[in-house]
mmCIF file of all heavy atoms in Angstrom:
data_model
loop_
_atom_site.group_PDB
_atom_site.id
_atom_site.type_symbol
_atom_site.label_atom_id
_atom_site.label_comp_id
_atom_site.label_asym_id
_atom_site.label_seq_id
_atom_site.Cartn_x
_atom_site.Cartn_y
_atom_site.Cartn_z
ATOM 1 N N GLY A 18 278.243 186.357 130.923
ATOM 2 C CA GLY A 18 277.801 184.999 131.221
ATOM 3 C C GLY A 18 276.293 184.915 131.054
ATOM 4 O O GLY A 18 275.585 184.415 131.939
ATOM 5 N N GLY A 19 275.818 185.400 129.911
ATOM 6 C CA GLY A 19 274.376 185.475 129.688
ATOM 7 C C GLY A 19 273.845 184.424 128.743
ATOM 8 O O GLY A 19 272.746 184.566 128.210
ATOM 9 N N SER A 20 274.605 183.343 128.521
ATOM 10 C CA SER A 20 274.163 182.366 127.521
ATOM 11 C C SER A 20 273.521 181.120 128.125
ATOM 12 O O SER A 20 272.715 180.465 127.471
ATOM 13 C CB SER A 20 275.346 181.938 126.646
ATOM 14 O OG SER A 20 276.321 181.283 127.423
ATOM 15 N N GLU A 21 273.893 180.785 129.338
ATOM 16 C CA GLU A 21 273.430 179.502 129.909
ATOM 17 C C GLU A 21 273.001 179.692 131.368
ATOM 18 O O GLU A 21 273.407 180.639 132.035
ATOM 19 C CB GLU A 21 274.586 178.477 129.902
ATOM 20 C CG GLU A 21 274.944 177.955 128.534
ATOM 21 C CD GLU A 21 275.930 176.793 128.611
ATOM 22 O OE1 GLU A 21 276.827 176.787 129.488
ATOM 23 O OE2 GLU A 21 275.814 175.877 127.795
ATOM 24 N N LEU A 41 277.208 188.173 126.769
ATOM 25 C CA LEU A 41 278.625 187.844 126.609
ATOM 26 C C LEU A 41 278.893 186.427 127.102
ATOM 27 O O LEU A 41 278.426 186.052 128.180
ATOM 28 C CB LEU A 41 279.498 188.800 127.440
ATOM 29 C CG LEU A 41 279.191 190.299 127.346
ATOM 30 C CD1 LEU A 41 280.015 191.070 128.384
ATOM 31 C CD2 LEU A 41 279.477 190.809 125.939
ATOM 32 N N ALA A 42 279.629 185.654 126.326
ATOM 33 C CA ALA A 42 280.037 184.303 126.732
ATOM 34 C C ALA A 42 281.044 183.783 125.718
ATOM 35 O O ALA A 42 281.340 184.465 124.724
ATOM 36 C CB ALA A 42 278.827 183.373 126.832
ATOM 37 N N ARG A 43 281.554 182.570 125.960
ATOM 38 C CA ARG A 43 282.574 182.017 125.059
ATOM 39 C C ARG A 43 281.991 181.109 123.986
ATOM 40 O O ARG A 43 282.383 181.167 122.833
ATOM 41 C CB ARG A 43 283.620 181.225 125.877
ATOM 42 C CG ARG A 43 284.427 182.071 126.818
ATOM 43 C CD ARG A 43 285.136 181.215 127.843
ATOM 44 N NE ARG A 43 284.178 180.398 128.600
ATOM 45 C CZ ARG A 43 284.493 179.495 129.515
ATOM 46 N NH1 ARG A 43 285.755 179.271 129.786
ATOM 47 N NH2 ARG A 43 283.553 178.818 130.146
ATOM 48 N N LYS A 44 281.066 180.241 124.336
ATOM 49 C CA LYS A 44 280.584 179.240 123.371
ATOM 50 C C LYS A 44 279.501 179.854 122.480
ATOM 51 O O LYS A 44 278.490 180.362 122.998
ATOM 52 C CB LYS A 44 280.017 178.019 124.108
ATOM 53 C CG LYS A 44 281.067 177.244 124.899
ATOM 54 C CD LYS A 44 280.549 175.918 125.406
ATOM 55 C CE LYS A 44 279.419 175.987 126.405
ATOM 56 N NZ LYS A 44 279.739 176.681 127.667
ATOM 57 N N VAL A 67 283.233 186.537 124.142
ATOM 58 C CA VAL A 67 284.275 187.161 124.960
ATOM 59 C C VAL A 67 284.721 186.157 126.009
ATOM 60 O O VAL A 67 283.882 185.540 126.672
ATOM 61 C CB VAL A 67 283.702 188.410 125.695
ATOM 62 C CG1 VAL A 67 284.740 189.015 126.639
ATOM 63 C CG2 VAL A 67 283.208 189.457 124.702
ATOM 64 N N ASP A 68 286.024 185.989 126.149
ATOM 65 C CA ASP A 68 286.551 185.248 127.301
ATOM 66 C C ASP A 68 286.904 186.284 128.359
ATOM 67 O O ASP A 68 287.814 187.095 128.170
ATOM 68 C CB ASP A 68 287.790 184.435 126.912
ATOM 69 C CG ASP A 68 288.309 183.616 128.089
ATOM 70 O OD1 ASP A 68 287.864 183.847 129.243
ATOM 71 O OD2 ASP A 68 289.161 182.743 127.851
ATOM 72 N N LEU A 69 286.163 186.260 129.452
ATOM 73 C CA LEU A 69 286.332 187.291 130.485
ATOM 74 C C LEU A 69 287.678 187.190 131.202
ATOM 75 O O LEU A 69 288.034 188.088 131.957
ATOM 76 C CB LEU A 69 285.177 187.208 131.494
ATOM 77 C CG LEU A 69 283.805 187.550 130.916
ATOM 78 C CD1 LEU A 69 282.693 187.069 131.846
ATOM 79 C CD2 LEU A 69 283.671 189.045 130.665
ATOM 80 N N THR A 70 288.408 186.107 130.962
ATOM 81 C CA THR A 70 289.734 185.990 131.591
ATOM 82 C C THR A 70 290.839 186.494 130.646
ATOM 83 O O THR A 70 292.005 186.500 131.023
ATOM 84 C CB THR A 70 290.049 184.531 131.983
ATOM 85 O OG1 THR A 70 290.196 183.748 130.793
ATOM 86 C CG2 THR A 70 288.968 183.943 132.854
ATOM 87 N N ASN A 93 277.398 187.246 135.870
ATOM 88 C CA ASN A 93 276.974 185.893 136.258
ATOM 89 C C ASN A 93 278.101 184.882 136.103
ATOM 90 O O ASN A 93 278.259 183.984 136.937
ATOM 91 C CB ASN A 93 275.765 185.473 135.415
ATOM 92 C CG ASN A 93 275.398 184.024 135.635
ATOM 93 O OD1 ASN A 93 275.076 183.617 136.751
ATOM 94 N ND2 ASN A 93 275.480 183.220 134.576
ATOM 95 N N ALA A 94 278.910 185.021 135.054
ATOM 96 C CA ALA A 94 279.995 184.049 134.808
ATOM 97 C C ALA A 94 280.884 183.966 136.040
ATOM 98 O O ALA A 94 281.205 184.986 136.651
ATOM 99 C CB ALA A 94 280.819 184.495 133.602
ATOM 100 N N GLY A 95 281.304 182.763 136.395
ATOM 101 C CA GLY A 95 282.171 182.709 137.573
ATOM 102 C C GLY A 95 282.266 181.361 138.233
ATOM 103 O O GLY A 95 282.734 181.251 139.366
ATOM 104 N N ALA A 96 281.844 180.294 137.560
ATOM 105 C CA ALA A 96 281.899 178.998 138.221
ATOM 106 C C ALA A 96 283.232 178.283 138.001
ATOM 107 O O ALA A 96 283.373 177.123 138.383
ATOM 108 C CB ALA A 96 280.752 178.122 137.746
ATOM 109 N N LEU A 117 288.693 185.483 136.490
ATOM 110 C CA LEU A 117 287.249 185.452 136.221
ATOM 111 C C LEU A 117 286.427 186.049 137.366
ATOM 112 O O LEU A 117 285.453 186.767 137.133
ATOM 113 C CB LEU A 117 286.794 184.009 135.954
ATOM 114 C CG LEU A 117 285.323 183.848 135.544
ATOM 115 C CD1 LEU A 117 285.026 184.590 134.234
ATOM 116 C CD2 LEU A 117 284.950 182.391 135.400
ATOM 117 N N VAL A 144 276.961 187.756 140.818
ATOM 118 C CA VAL A 144 276.592 186.449 141.380
ATOM 119 C C VAL A 144 277.755 185.895 142.213
ATOM 120 O O VAL A 144 278.891 185.814 141.745
ATOM 121 C CB VAL A 144 276.205 185.459 140.265
ATOM 122 C CG1 VAL A 144 275.910 184.087 140.857
ATOM 123 C CG2 VAL A 144 274.993 185.975 139.493
ATOM 124 N N GLY A 145 277.447 185.563 143.441
ATOM 125 C CA GLY A 145 278.444 185.008 144.349
ATOM 126 C C GLY A 145 278.140 183.562 144.687
ATOM 127 O O GLY A 145 277.308 182.915 144.052
ATOM 128 N N SER A 146 278.815 183.084 145.703
ATOM 129 C CA SER A 146 278.685 181.671 146.075
ATOM 130 C C SER A 146 278.788 181.507 147.581
ATOM 131 O O SER A 146 279.498 182.267 148.250
ATOM 132 C CB SER A 146 279.806 180.870 145.404
ATOM 133 O OG SER A 146 279.872 179.570 145.939
ATOM 134 N N TYR A 159 288.890 179.588 144.676
ATOM 135 C CA TYR A 159 287.501 179.902 144.289
ATOM 136 C C TYR A 159 286.775 180.583 145.452
ATOM 137 O O TYR A 159 286.164 181.641 145.291
ATOM 138 C CB TYR A 159 286.775 178.621 143.883
ATOM 139 C CG TYR A 159 285.318 178.815 143.539
ATOM 140 C CD1 TYR A 159 284.937 179.466 142.364
ATOM 141 C CD2 TYR A 159 284.312 178.352 144.391
ATOM 142 C CE1 TYR A 159 283.595 179.645 142.051
ATOM 143 C CE2 TYR A 159 282.976 178.518 144.082
ATOM 144 C CZ TYR A 159 282.613 179.169 142.913
ATOM 145 O OH TYR A 159 281.286 179.347 142.606
ATOM 146 N N LYS A 163 285.370 184.426 145.724
ATOM 147 C CA LYS A 163 283.964 184.757 145.967
ATOM 148 C C LYS A 163 283.808 185.577 147.252
ATOM 149 O O LYS A 163 282.844 186.339 147.395
ATOM 150 C CB LYS A 163 283.125 183.477 146.035
ATOM 151 C CG LYS A 163 282.983 182.780 144.676
ATOM 152 C CD LYS A 163 282.212 183.628 143.677
ATOM 153 C CE LYS A 163 281.957 182.873 142.378
ATOM 154 N NZ LYS A 163 281.199 183.676 141.396
ATOM 155 N N LEU A 189 274.562 182.135 145.485
ATOM 156 C CA LEU A 189 273.994 180.832 145.138
ATOM 157 C C LEU A 189 274.658 179.728 145.938
ATOM 158 O O LEU A 189 275.840 179.827 146.289
ATOM 159 C CB LEU A 189 274.234 180.540 143.651
ATOM 160 C CG LEU A 189 273.243 181.067 142.626
ATOM 161 C CD1 LEU A 189 273.044 182.557 142.734
ATOM 162 C CD2 LEU A 189 273.687 180.692 141.224
ATOM 163 N N GLY A 190 273.874 178.687 146.205
ATOM 164 C CA GLY A 190 274.440 177.411 146.626
ATOM 165 C C GLY A 190 274.290 176.473 145.438
ATOM 166 O O GLY A 190 274.278 176.922 144.287
ATOM 167 N N ALA A 191 274.132 175.196 145.718
ATOM 168 C CA ALA A 191 274.012 174.226 144.629
ATOM 169 C C ALA A 191 272.831 174.589 143.727
ATOM 170 O O ALA A 191 271.694 174.684 144.185
ATOM 171 C CB ALA A 191 273.819 172.838 145.211
ATOM 172 N N THR A 192 273.108 174.790 142.455
ATOM 173 C CA THR A 192 272.098 175.241 141.491
ATOM 174 C C THR A 192 272.266 174.456 140.194
ATOM 175 O O THR A 192 273.389 174.317 139.701
ATOM 176 C CB THR A 192 272.280 176.752 141.190
ATOM 177 O OG1 THR A 192 272.305 177.468 142.424
ATOM 178 C CG2 THR A 192 271.160 177.282 140.310
ATOM 179 N N THR A 194 272.714 173.954 136.680
ATOM 180 C CA THR A 194 273.095 174.724 135.482
ATOM 181 C C THR A 194 273.823 173.781 134.526
ATOM 182 O O THR A 194 274.382 172.768 134.971
ATOM 183 C CB THR A 194 274.047 175.895 135.841
ATOM 184 O OG1 THR A 194 275.264 175.340 136.359
ATOM 185 C CG2 THR A 194 273.447 176.846 136.850
ATOM 186 N N ALA A 196 276.690 174.207 133.246
ATOM 187 C CA ALA A 196 278.107 174.127 133.631
ATOM 188 C C ALA A 196 278.312 173.089 134.743
ATOM 189 O O ALA A 196 279.262 172.295 134.702
ATOM 190 C CB ALA A 196 278.612 175.500 134.086
ATOM 191 N N MET A 197 277.402 173.081 135.711
ATOM 192 C CA MET A 197 277.545 172.117 136.814
ATOM 193 C C MET A 197 277.247 170.704 136.341
ATOM 194 O O MET A 197 277.859 169.741 136.804
ATOM 195 C CB MET A 197 276.624 172.498 137.978
ATOM 196 C CG MET A 197 277.036 173.762 138.697
ATOM 197 S SD MET A 197 278.739 173.741 139.307
ATOM 198 C CE MET A 197 279.576 174.725 138.101
ATOM 199 N N ARG A 199 278.034 169.605 133.448
ATOM 200 C CA ARG A 199 279.239 169.180 132.719
ATOM 201 C C ARG A 199 280.351 168.731 133.665
ATOM 202 O O ARG A 199 281.082 167.799 133.361
ATOM 203 C CB ARG A 199 279.757 170.316 131.809
ATOM 204 C CG ARG A 199 278.967 170.485 130.519
ATOM 205 C CD ARG A 199 279.673 171.409 129.538
ATOM 206 N NE ARG A 199 279.736 172.766 130.001
ATOM 207 C CZ ARG A 199 278.804 173.696 129.785
ATOM 208 N NH1 ARG A 199 277.718 173.399 129.088
ATOM 209 N NH2 ARG A 199 278.938 174.911 130.244
ATOM 210 N N LEU A 202 278.557 167.484 139.115
ATOM 211 C CA LEU A 202 278.211 167.594 140.541
ATOM 212 C C LEU A 202 277.151 166.563 140.902
ATOM 213 O O LEU A 202 276.212 166.327 140.138
ATOM 214 C CB LEU A 202 277.672 168.993 140.863
ATOM 215 C CG LEU A 202 278.679 170.119 141.010
ATOM 216 C CD1 LEU A 202 278.040 171.295 141.745
ATOM 217 C CD2 LEU A 202 279.931 169.685 141.759
HETATM 218 N N1 NAP B 1 275.729 176.271 139.711
HETATM 219 C C1 NAP B 1 276.035 176.207 141.004
HETATM 220 O O1 NAP B 1 275.832 175.192 141.692
HETATM 221 C C2 NAP B 1 276.624 177.439 141.654
HETATM 222 C C3 NAP B 1 276.828 177.443 143.045
HETATM 223 C C4 NAP B 1 277.329 178.583 143.642
HETATM 224 C C5 NAP B 1 277.602 179.707 142.884
HETATM 225 N N2 NAP B 1 277.407 179.681 141.533
HETATM 226 C C6 NAP B 1 277.723 180.883 140.752
HETATM 227 O O2 NAP B 1 276.726 181.091 139.763
HETATM 228 C C7 NAP B 1 277.290 181.676 138.589
HETATM 229 C C8 NAP B 1 276.873 180.881 137.367
HETATM 230 O O3 NAP B 1 277.418 179.593 137.446
HETATM 231 P P1 NAP B 1 277.132 178.433 136.380
HETATM 232 O O4 NAP B 1 277.011 177.168 137.142
HETATM 233 O O5 NAP B 1 276.021 178.809 135.474
HETATM 234 O O6 NAP B 1 278.492 178.316 135.494
HETATM 235 P P2 NAP B 1 279.421 179.336 134.671
HETATM 236 O O7 NAP B 1 280.572 178.518 134.162
HETATM 237 O O8 NAP B 1 279.763 180.509 135.483
HETATM 238 O O9 NAP B 1 278.545 179.711 133.392
HETATM 239 C C9 NAP B 1 277.611 180.751 133.405
HETATM 240 C C10 NAP B 1 277.734 181.588 132.159
HETATM 241 O O10 NAP B 1 279.003 182.254 132.114
HETATM 242 C C11 NAP B 1 279.672 181.998 130.881
HETATM 243 N N3 NAP B 1 281.112 181.976 131.169
HETATM 244 C C12 NAP B 1 281.778 181.123 131.989
HETATM 245 N N4 NAP B 1 283.098 181.381 131.969
HETATM 246 C C13 NAP B 1 283.270 182.446 131.131
HETATM 247 C C14 NAP B 1 284.397 183.163 130.674
HETATM 248 N N5 NAP B 1 285.641 182.860 131.048
HETATM 249 N N6 NAP B 1 284.214 184.191 129.813
HETATM 250 C C15 NAP B 1 282.959 184.498 129.390
HETATM 251 N N7 NAP B 1 281.868 183.864 129.778
HETATM 252 C C16 NAP B 1 282.013 182.832 130.640
HETATM 253 C C17 NAP B 1 279.069 180.691 130.404
HETATM 254 O O11 NAP B 1 279.158 180.527 128.996
HETATM 255 P P3 NAP B 1 280.482 179.923 128.301
HETATM 256 O O12 NAP B 1 280.897 178.720 129.118
HETATM 257 O O13 NAP B 1 280.070 179.606 126.902
HETATM 258 O O14 NAP B 1 281.531 181.012 128.327
HETATM 259 C C18 NAP B 1 277.624 180.835 130.848
HETATM 260 O O15 NAP B 1 276.894 181.643 129.950
HETATM 261 C C19 NAP B 1 278.804 181.713 138.839
HETATM 262 O O16 NAP B 1 279.184 183.014 139.267
HETATM 263 C C20 NAP B 1 279.018 180.707 139.953
HETATM 264 O O17 NAP B 1 280.170 180.968 140.730
HETATM 265 C C21 NAP B 1 276.933 178.577 140.902
#
Side-chain angles (χ1 to χ4, degrees):
S20 63
E21 288 189 324
L41 313 172
R43 295 164 303 176
K44 295 190 296 298
V67 176
D68 182 348
L69 294 164
T70 67
N93 172 60
L117 185 61
V144 177
S146 169
Y159 177 71
K163 290 295 186 180
L189 274 55
T192 307
T194 64
M197 291 305 102
R199 282 192 293 271
L202 282 198

